[in-house]
Amino acid sequence: MRIRRNMIRKYKIGNPIETDSVIEAIPEILIDQEKAVIPASGEGGTETIIPASGDSNSKAVIPALGDENSGWIVDKHGKKLTFSMSSHACIYGLGEQVRGINKRGWHYVSFCSDDPHHEEGKTSLYGAHNFFVYDSRDCNDNICFGMYVDTPGRVEFDMGYSDPDEISIIFEDFDAYIYLLKSGHPSGTIMDIVRQFRRIIGRSYIAPMWAFGLGQSRWSYMNADEVRGVADSYDKAGIPLDSIYLDIDYMERYKDFTVNDDAFPDFKEFVAEMSGRGIHLVPIIDAGVKIEEGYDVYEEGVKGNHFVKKENGDLFTAAVWPGRVHFPDFLKEDTRRWFGDKYKVLTEAGIDGFWNDMNEPAIFYSEDGLKKVFEKIDGYKGKNLDIDSFFGFQGSVSGLCNSEEDYGSFYHEYKGQRIRHDKVHNLYGYNMTRAAAEAFDKIAPDKQILMFSRASYIGMHRYAGIWTGDNMSWWSHLLLSIQQLPGLNMCGFLYSGSDMGGFGGDVTEDLLIRWLSFAIFTPLLRDHSAMGTRRQELYRFKDTDMFRNLVELRYALIPYLYAEYLWAADNNEMLFKSLAFEHEEDARAMEVEDELLVGRSIMIAPVYTQNASGRYVYLPEDMKMIRFRGYDDYDEEQMKAGDHYVRAQLGEVLVFIRKGHELPLAMPDMRVRDIDTENIHYIRN
Ligand code: MIG
């Protein structure tokens, strides 16, 4: 592959905090805001034109794309960068976020957030992924560039929300590295930009093949017998399964790296028993460490100076599951080494998969915050609570969770400096996960380990995958889970997926079938649901045959999916693309928000509305449609490019094979390791 280093420009604004997200050394261009002044459109402030990307330009501090009219305006005093959009431009990227594939028309805040309400009015989810591609080649100005805003604190991407024709990137602290990327290709431009970006951030994490099998999860399976029961029921129903997840209740009172002996007597033996049946157990690890005398992780953490502290040097105390906890300072190398080694307790018991949770970090309340609220509430006692005081009273309690004040009240030791948490907030979950991954190389060198995290930042993609957190059993969240994938892939997160069927709320059988019909294409295929909701294991529903057929189809697809996944990782490619990434000249393709190209050979068009027996599908090119009812039960139809209404009853999966391509299907089995990959059946177009 030809390296075109000159297509990437790195600009430095202020004094950025390093994030270790970019691994390639690129010379910096300092933005000297006082020197290159273009008069501001009013009083105060200095403005500098930063052309979009590309070659030098006399007017500019940042070399231009060749079009000097389009540049980034630096507003030092407003701490923002602005860019004028052309009317039809699309914006792709930003990873794990709300809303559609084209990010234009809303604003997004990068600040890893524990917020289970993924509604379209929100601006942040659990990840902070500050890379996007702007594409207006359809328009007169003919511009396409990528931009990565590397800063670990809060940053807002106003993508035509305040002003429909303007992007503003608004910083809390005007310190960042800005990478602008342009393509040297006249065609394949978007992917060329994505590939360059992915090259500089390093190769994506590779999950083991078994991690493409079905995973069954629940908050929580309470004991070994319940877990056995799940495996038995899947086997009895003849539905393939490869993993069962252990949520927080496997631990002894939510203490990391402990196992509740009453619920899981002889854990090691149990892990061996399950692995003998081909089932991997995947325990959860939370970020907070319970404060408890005699608990080794707590005591070592205090002794080893591993927990984050307040300004006065006292340990910061917050509460999560176990009640009062301290947070390890994952930003400190020494602490990463210590915490990472703790995973050994579980790897030595035979565990080879983990999910890291609550690592934004989620905070129920801090000790200091709680004290203040109690004092405030005391003041309300016996009073007549009118509209203001009542809402004040209510707000002071609900405001305890994940409060800005708390995030601004503890400190990290990061690269030899003391830094307040909110300035590096988006690095926390990333470094927890990195701690584990770096340890695995030492403590389990022969094992390929599955790991994914809830909070993340670009850079973490080298260590693990992510799941998209606490969604709901809603049709709109099925659509959201489809739309999130291209953005995640652009940012390096290839191993990902959503809680299939929805985490919160009660699923219905038809939603679960439709969701599964889509999720059989995502690397992480995990049925997970919250405490208190309707049980969601596939064998509990009426049409067992339909569920079996769908999961078998998934297992038949694994050789294709895994090969395309490896190809994407090795070539800085995407497993999931929206149509516009391959059909750049096609204005209609740019608007398709509910179809995805999966790997190099196929396109999918999931049904995501209730009571539908089909959907409209746009084909950007002639394709062969396969309507699957099972891996060995399908019909084929040649279809012309254009719009079609296609029938897809419940349990039917639509796959479109591109011209000159073939879809390999293996003989499925009850476990990934038993799939017969010798006898591949090909459907060709
Ligand atoms: O506040 O461990 O996203 O998957 O089941 C809830 C319990 C804490 C949040 C995770 C979810 C998990 C749950 N956790």
Side-chain angles (χ1 to χ4, degrees):
M1 194 203 287
R2 251 185 23 200
I3 307 255
R4 283 176 243 93
R5 222 168 279 273
N6 59 333
M7 297 300 167
I8 302 173
R9 295 268 193 272
K10 176 182 183 183
Y11 303 98
K12 182 175 178 179
I13 299 177
N15 287 305
I17 298 170
E18 303 291 333
T19 65
D20 300 344
S21 56
V22 172
I23 56 165
E24 197 171 287
I26 298 167
E28 288 158 16
I29 304 165
L30 200 71
I31 298 183
D32 183 346
Q33 294 141 4
E34 306 301 340
K35 215 167 82 197
V37 181
I38 291 173
S41 55
E43 73 294 19
T46 51
E47 293 184 349
T48 308
I49 291 271
I50 309 175
S53 79
D55 316 315
S56 280
N57 164 326
S58 56
K59 234 167 42 185
V61 176
I62 296 188
L65 235 195
D67 179 348
E68 38 194 85
N69 295 322
S70 65
W72 287 89
I73 305 205
V74 179
D75 176 353
K76 188 182 176 186
H77 298 282
K79 297 183 186 173
K80 64 178 183 180
L81 302 173
T82 54
F83 180 82
S84 271
M85 287 192 275
S86 64
S87 52
H88 293 99
C90 292
I91 302 167
Y92 305 108
L94 294 186
E96 185 184 13
Q97 261 298 355
V98 294
R99 299 211 169 206
I101 293 173
N102 180 357
K103 290 293 181 229
R104 186 168 181 158
W106 187 241
H107 60 135
Y108 308 87
V109 176
S110 274
F111 196 78
C112 297
S113 298
D114 164 33
D115 181 348
H117 306 286
H118 308 174
E119 289 132 10
E120 58 182 297
K122 289 298 164 69
T123 54
S124 305
L125 294 175
Y126 310 87
H129 307 141
N130 304 344
F131 172 63
F132 64 90
V133 169
Y134 170 90
D135 183 20
S136 80
R137 280 159 314 135
D138 197 33
C139 318
N140 301 333
D141 56 351
N142 200 34
I143 284 182
C144 184
F145 64 86
M147 187 174 196
Y148 175 45
V149 178
D150 190 14
T151 178
R154 185 189 298 266
V155 57
E156 178 177 351
F157 294 86
D158 184 330
M159 302 300 205
Y161 164 71
S162 301
D163 175 338
D165 300 311
E166 198 170 84
I167 300 178
S168 309
I169 301 172
I170 305 146
F171 296 78
E172 209 159 73
D173 297 301
F174 211 33
D175 300 303
Y177 291 112
I178 308 288
Y179 296 80
L180 285 166
L181 301 93
K182 83 167 213 178
S183 169
H185 280 260
S187 65
T189 312
I190 301 176
M191 275 318 300
D192 191 46
I193 289 167
V194 170
R195 276 192 297 266
Q196 290 186 72
F197 177 62
R198 295 273 301 288
R199 190 192 77 224
I200 67 167
I201 61 171
R203 193 176 92 144
S204 296
Y205 159 78
I206 304 284
M209 186 144 117
W210 65 261
F212 276 57
L214 175 66
Q216 180 59 56
S217 186
R218 175 76 179 178
W219 173 22
S220 299
Y221 296 124
M222 302 303 285
N223 54 52
D225 275 339
E226 211 181 325
V227 173
R228 280 189 193 101
V230 171
D232 292 347
S233 303
Y234 267 96
D235 285 353
K236 200 166 140 229
I239 303 175
L241 182 76
D242 267 81
S243 54
I244 298 179
Y245 285 72
L246 301 180
D247 208 324
I248 46 177
D249 295 283
Y250 79 89
M251 293 182 249
E252 191 202 310
R253 275 168 301 138
Y254 314 126
K255 287 185 293 190
D256 280 339
F257 313 113
T258 67
V259 175
N260 180 338
D261 267 341
D262 296 329
F264 294 91
D266 207 338
F267 187 64
K268 196 170 176 175
E269 204 169 282
F270 178 58
V271 176
E273 172 196 325
M274 294 309 287
S275 105
R277 297 176 65 171
I279 298 286
H280 300 257
L281 296 179
V282 185
I284 195 169
I285 304 291
D286 280 5
V289 170
K290 183 171 201 270
I291 300 174
E292 185 182 285
E293 296 306 323
Y295 169 37
D296 58 344
V297 183
Y298 162 71
E299 289 188 341
E300 283 173 30
V302 172
K303 224 176 281 153
N305 197 23
H306 291 306
F307 296 129
V308 296
K309 299 196 184 88
K310 297 194 286 193
E311 194 171 10
N312 66 7
D314 291 350
L315 293 180
F316 174 73
T317 302
V320 206
W321 290 114
R324 293 162 69 243
V325 299
H326 292 317
F327 288 117
D329 189 356
F330 298 122
L331 275 66
K332 207 163 82 177
E333 213 179 312
D334 183 38
T335 300
R336 277 204 299 278
R337 216 171 302 124
W338 165 72
F339 194 84
D341 280 346
K342 293 284 144 206
Y343 282 76
K344 198 165 159 186
V345 171
L346 293 159
T347 54
E348 278 185 344
I351 294 294
D352 55 3
F354 296 94
W355 46 312
N356 292 337
D357 190 22
M358 304 293 272
N359 52 5
E360 294 72 30
I363 298 179
F364 291 172
Y365 61 83
S366 69
E367 200 170 46
D368 294 346
L370 190 67
K371 211 164 111 203
K372 271 189 224 154
V373 168
F374 278 138
E375 279 161 16
K376 214 164 151 194
I377 287 176
D378 264 348
Y380 288 120
K381 267 189 193 153
K383 298 247 167 76
N384 171 20
L385 296 188
D386 63 9
I387 177 141
D388 297 326
S389 47
F390 175 69
F391 287 120
F393 163 77
Q394 208 182 24
S396 57
V397 177
S398 62
L400 273 171
C401 253
N402 303 323
S403 85
E404 273 187 44
E405 204 179 325
D406 285 339
Y407 288 135
S409 73
F410 61 93
Y411 291 78
H412 296 277
E413 262 174 61
Y414 186 46
K415 298 186 189 281
Q417 274 187 318
R418 187 160 175 264
I419 303 182
R420 207 172 75 195
H421 174 78
D422 56 337
K423 308 289 177 197
V424 287
H425 175 75
N426 292 335
L427 302 183
Y428 193 72
Y430 162 17
N431 279 286
M432 174 190 183
T433 301
R434 175 182 178 181
E438 286 172 347
F440 294 156
D441 293 340
K442 282 179 295 162
I443 64 179
D446 313 322
K447 274 192 190 162
Q448 216 187 339
I449 291 186
L450 164 65
M451 179 166 57
F452 53 89
S453 169
R454 197 170 71 175
S456 60
Y457 186 80
I458 291 173
M460 202 199 81
H461 71 288
R462 298 192 298 270
Y463 302 105
I466 64 161
W467 96 102
T468 59
D470 299 347
N471 57 5
M472 296 288 292
S473 297
W474 293 345
W475 293 87
S476 59
H477 279 183
L478 163 55
L479 176 60
L480 179 65
S481 73
I482 298 167
Q483 293 173 326
Q484 283 175 326
L485 286 167
L488 285 172
N489 278 202
M490 285 171 71
C491 297
F493 295 97
L494 296 179
Y495 188 82
S496 59
S498 300
D499 285 348
M500 193 261 296
F503 173 73
D506 294 326
V507 78
T508 57
E509 181 159 350
D510 56 345
L511 175 58
L512 193 57
I513 288 169
R514 289 301 195 191
W515 206 316
L516 178 61
S517 303
F518 158 66
I520 56 172
F521 297 96
T522 63
L524 172 63
L525 169 61
R526 185 178 74 140
D527 179 352
H528 181 45
S529 58
M531 191 168 274
T533 63
R534 180 178 187 177
R535 304 298 301 210
Q536 202 166 287
E537 294 81 10
L538 303 184
Y539 54 78
R540 293 181 189 271
F541 293 84
K542 201 168 167 192
D543 201 334
T544 314
D545 291 346
M546 200 174 269
F547 285 103
R548 185 187 317 107
N549 290 342
L550 288 168
V551 179
E552 280 178 356
L553 175 57
R554 157 63 167 221
Y555 279 57
L557 284 165
I558 284 177
Y560 173 74
L561 293 172
Y562 199 70
E564 291 299 301
Y565 165 70
L566 293 180
W567 165 79
D570 286 340
N571 296 287
N572 299 321
E573 268 285 348
M574 291 162 63
L575 183 60
F576 297 98
K577 289 176 193 153
S578 55
L579 307 192
F581 282 50
E582 292 281 331
H583 300 274
E584 300 190 322
E585 309 301 313
D586 182 346
R588 176 80 179 80
M590 289 168 97
E591 294 184 8
V592 176
E593 288 273 351
D594 57 1
E595 300 172 21
L596 295 173
L597 296 160
V598 184
R600 286 165 288 185
S601 301
I602 63 173
M603 183 186 94
I604 57 170
V607 175
Y608 54 88
T609 48
Q610 190 155 27
N611 300 320
S613 57
R615 54 161 290 171
Y616 285 95
V617 177
Y618 174 71
L619 298 188
E621 62 192 53
D622 295 355
M623 290 179 177
K624 181 190 258 187
M625 181 179 80
I626 314 297
R627 187 187 287 107
F628 283 105
R629 283 168 293 275
Y631 74 96
D632 57 355
D633 178 14
Y634 55 86
D635 40 62
E636 314 179 13
E637 191 183 324
Q638 283 293 347
M639 291 178 79
K640 289 269 169 235
D643 285 290
H644 302 266
Y645 184 82
V646 178
R647 292 183 70 82
Q649 304 283 0
L650 212 54
E652 291 183 332
V653 178
L654 302 175
V655 174
F656 300 83
I657 304 179
R658 303 177 78 174
K659 265 252 149 61
H661 289 258
E662 56 193 18
L663 178 65
L665 290 168
M667 271 293 287
D669 210 314
M670 290 298 286
R671 309 282 180 256
V672 168
R673 64 176 188 198
D674 298 326
I675 294 174
D676 179 359
T677 50
E678 298 293 297
N679 294 303
I680 299 280
H681 167 70
Y682 291 91
I683 311 179
R684 300 200 158 84
N685 183 20

